[in-house]
Amino acid sequence: MKILMVGSGGREHALIKKLKESDRVKQVICAPGNGGIACDAQCFPVPVTDIEAMVGLALEEKADLVFVAPDDPLAAGMADAMQAAGLRVFGPSAKAAEIESSKVFAKSLMKKYAIPTADYEVFDCAQKAVEYIASVGKYPTVIKADGLALGKGVIIAESFEQAQRAVQDIMNDKVFGDAGSKIVVEEFLTGPEVSVLAFTDGETVSPMISSMDHKKALEGDRGLNTGGMGAIAPNPFYTQEHARFCMEHIFLPTIAAMNAENRKFKGCLYFGLMLTAQGPKVIEYNCRFGDPETQVVLPLLKTPLIDVVDAVIDGNLAQMELEWSRQNSACVILASGGYPVSYAKGYEIKGLDSRGCAEDVTVYHAGTLCKNGVFYTNGGRVLGISAQKNSLREALGAAYQAIDKISFEDMHYRTDIGARAI
Ligand code: AMP
Ligand code: GLY
């Protein structure tokens, strides 16, 4: 079997490494990939958003399966295009991907089908939004751009002035472009956050091991929101009881709701949850594997990933029992100094072997480039250092110990990944 992986981050690297564990997978190729992925898969310089070229590559390379990992191409209909070209594909249709690409759609779905989430209102007029915020008068309040905004479209406003500014920035100054034509204003929730990724064939939901992301750039959850600075799995705040509640009130109802709306979701559905005093509520859906959650969750999967992928595509998930390791997993992201705002690229990365690996951990490459056997930084998030051990403490210890031997100019990472969970 030959697989084409679409994407270029640490998540894609983790998916590729996992897929390759099975003898059934003869070859994985990737577009566009990165310097480290190139050690595991031949890379082709096709941008993730070029649907036509990607379909062309899949056909030319005679891929038996195309795995579309990032949100942008899914929202733009890459899975539909692959299918229309007669290719076998893992990833939801554009209509199903709207559960991530439109927050307005996701919120109205939850309201219509009574899926627990924060109370909210939708606005396409800045003036009305500001009037509403003033009339509620409760802070913090949460303002979200409707569309995809590289994970930056959510603003937590601590005061009326901040809220007014956020509405102004998003709707009038269009800081997120068309993604901000509509906004959601919602209630601020508190509680531990949990990410639950789930395989679904549109009927059965198979949740993966829970995880915890760390979205803020700096220690103590300070600084700007990033794509994610590290993750641990399982998430100790997420109990069996939460899992039962979520299956009954969130996971299955979401799948049923998507079917009722004629948007059958097949692929990996990501539930971003908050465990509030009133019970778990949905903060967001993603139509894909999370990054860096994938880098902690997938290493714990014992069932061959390719078998699960086949079951999702063929609608056989009900017949499959997923097997998980009982170990703990931790991943720390090494980022370029200045990320997520502005940062330099092209610094030499020291401390990796010739295949981009390091001892006792798995190194997932995100923003790297390889020239003559030497790795260079080539993005905001550069590497994810992931370890699996019998306790969270040991997993974190192994990851941080490995990091001591890796370096590049202006390297930045959080020293408190998982600290809240110990
Ligand atoms: P999102 O892009 O929707 O995941 O939002 C980014 C982050 O903003 C989330 O991980 C939460 O930490 C925070 N957030 C989003 N919505 C809310 C909310 N209603 N209440 C509190 N925090 C929120
Ligand atoms: N880690 C959050 C995301 O992938 O969007």
Side-chain angles (χ1 to χ4, degrees):
M1 193 172 196
K2 180 172 180 177
I3 302 174
L4 166 60
M5 177 65 60
V6 176
S8 64
R11 163 184 59 201
E12 287 76 6
H13 200 187
L15 285 162
I16 289 170
K17 281 189 182 289
K18 199 71 198 176
L19 286 166
K20 284 183 68 174
E21 284 178 10
S22 169
D23 293 340
R24 289 178 52 217
V25 177
K26 287 277 173 295
Q27 194 189 351
V28 183
I29 59 174
C30 184
N34 62 43
I37 288 178
C39 298
D40 291 298
Q42 188 186 354
C43 292
F44 294 81
V46 177
V48 287
T49 44
D50 192 337
I51 294 184
E52 208 180 303
M54 202 62 83
V55 171
L57 175 67
L59 290 172
E60 207 166 295
E61 288 296 316
K62 299 193 169 56
D64 301 300
L65 172 76
V66 182
F67 196 120
V68 186
D71 48 355
D72 287 325
L74 288 168
M78 188 178 279
D80 310 76
M82 293 290 172
Q83 237 174 354
L87 292 153
R88 191 170 161 80
V89 60
F90 183 93
S93 67
K95 271 179 85 182
E98 225 176 298
I99 199 165
E100 171 170 5
S101 62
S102 168
K103 295 211 189 280
V104 172
F105 169 72
K107 292 298 287 189
S108 33
L109 187 84
M110 288 186 271
K111 188 180 260 181
K112 184 168 172 188
Y113 295 92
I115 296 165
T117 188
D119 286 339
Y120 75 101
E121 292 292 333
V122 175
F123 297 94
D124 56 11
C125 160
Q127 172 84 27
K128 293 227 166 75
V130 171
E131 280 170 19
Y132 169 78
I133 291 164
S135 74
V136 175
K138 265 205 340 217
Y139 305 97
T141 185
V142 184
I143 295 154
K144 300 184 170 183
D146 175 42
L148 294 177
L150 295 170
K152 295 178 190 155
V154 175
I155 291 160
I156 314 245
E158 304 283 347
S159 63
F160 175 72
E161 287 67 33
Q162 278 185 15
Q164 195 175 25
R165 169 118 307 267
V167 173
Q168 170 75 23
D169 287 350
I170 298 175
M171 301 197 82
N172 295 342
D173 298 345
K174 298 264 178 213
V175 293
F176 304 123
D178 282 343
S181 306
K182 286 189 202 157
I183 59 167
V184 171
V185 177
E186 73 176 29
E187 171 198 13
F188 178 75
L189 301 177
T190 53
E193 275 188 65
V194 182
S195 305
V196 179
L197 285 59
F199 292 105
T200 177
D201 57 7
E203 301 296 334
T204 300
V205 184
S206 243
M208 300 179 219
I209 297 275
S210 64
S211 55
M212 180 194 289
D213 190 7
H214 295 66
K215 286 197 166 84
K216 298 280 188 182
L218 306 174
E219 275 84 7
D221 291 330
R222 291 173 304 112
L224 295 172
N225 258 333
T226 69
M229 294 299 293
I232 59 155
N235 184 322
F237 294 101
Y238 187 71
T239 62
Q240 289 287 333
E241 203 156 319
H242 287 126
R244 270 194 296 275
F245 177 93
C246 289
M247 182 55 93
E248 184 181 346
H249 297 283
I250 296 177
F251 305 160
L252 289 171
T254 300
I255 296 307
M258 291 298 274
N259 284 332
E261 297 293 316
N262 205 12
R263 294 171 188 258
K264 185 186 270 288
F265 192 104
K266 291 176 77 155
C268 171
L269 184 53
Y270 168 127
F271 298 87
L273 306 170
M274 197 170 273
L275 308 177
T276 75
Q278 288 80 43
K281 294 190 181 184
V282 178
I283 291 278
E284 64 161 347
Y285 293 111
N286 290 329
C287 67
R288 51 172 175 85
F289 280 86
D291 189 329
E293 287 92 335
T294 305
Q295 293 93 306
V296 286
V297 171
L298 274 192
L300 301 178
L301 178 64
K302 285 177 147 178
T303 312
L305 176 59
I306 188 63
D307 295 352
V308 191
V309 164
D310 277 339
V312 165
I313 297 173
D314 297 330
N316 295 331
L317 205 53
Q319 278 94 62
M320 188 159 222
E321 190 79 46
L322 297 193
E323 219 192 313
W324 294 96
S325 158
R326 301 177 71 87
Q327 287 194 309
N328 284 255
S329 199
C331 179
V332 180
I333 300 295
L334 304 183
S336 299
Y339 172 76
V341 184
S342 66
Y343 47 85
K345 299 180 188 178
Y347 293 129
E348 184 180 339
I349 304 170
K350 300 198 176 104
L352 301 178
D353 70 16
S354 62
R355 293 186 51 80
C357 303
E359 225 174 285
D360 202 31
V361 292
T362 305
V363 179
Y364 296 120
H365 287 240
T368 70
L369 191 78
C370 185
K371 260 194 298 197
N372 304 321
V374 180
F375 292 92
Y376 297 89
T377 65
N378 193 37
R381 291 191 291 180
V382 176
L383 299 170
I385 310 301
S386 179
Q388 287 67 48
K389 298 285 171 193
N390 290 333
S391 70
L392 176 60
R393 199 178 283 278
E394 286 171 276
L396 287 164
Y400 280 114
Q401 216 165 354
I403 287 170
D404 283 343
K405 301 189 196 118
I406 301 172
S407 64
F408 52 84
E409 187 91 18
D410 286 340
M411 180 169 101
H412 165 68
Y413 62 92
R414 275 182 61 167
T415 55
D416 65 345
I417 299 303
R420 244 177 312 139
I422 284 186

